[in-house]
Amino acid sequence: MSGALGDFVAAAPAVAAPLVGLAALDWRFALAALLAVPLQAYALRWYLRTSQPH
């Protein structure tokens, strides 16, 4: 695979591994990490919008 989809598929294990590790310690750690995802997505959208050259 190439392009953005390939990059996404390649990064998926790196994203999933810490989540699995947190869940192995305690399910509430994984839940807290998942609850942070919307804030991270909002911050990423803001950054991408404001970092564009004018």
Side-chain angles (χ1 to χ4, degrees):
M1 280 188 207
S2 62
L5 181 59
D7 291 341
F8 179 77
V9 170
V15 172
L19 190 58
V20 170
L22 287 171
L25 291 173
D26 191 346
W27 65 270
R28 291 170 289 204
F29 290 144
L31 180 62
L34 287 174
L35 289 175
V37 170
L39 179 60
Q40 293 170 345
Y42 174 77
L44 176 63
R45 287 182 53 139
W46 171 83
Y47 173 76
L48 291 175
R49 200 171 40 244
T50 58
S51 67
Q52 299 295 325
H54 295 287

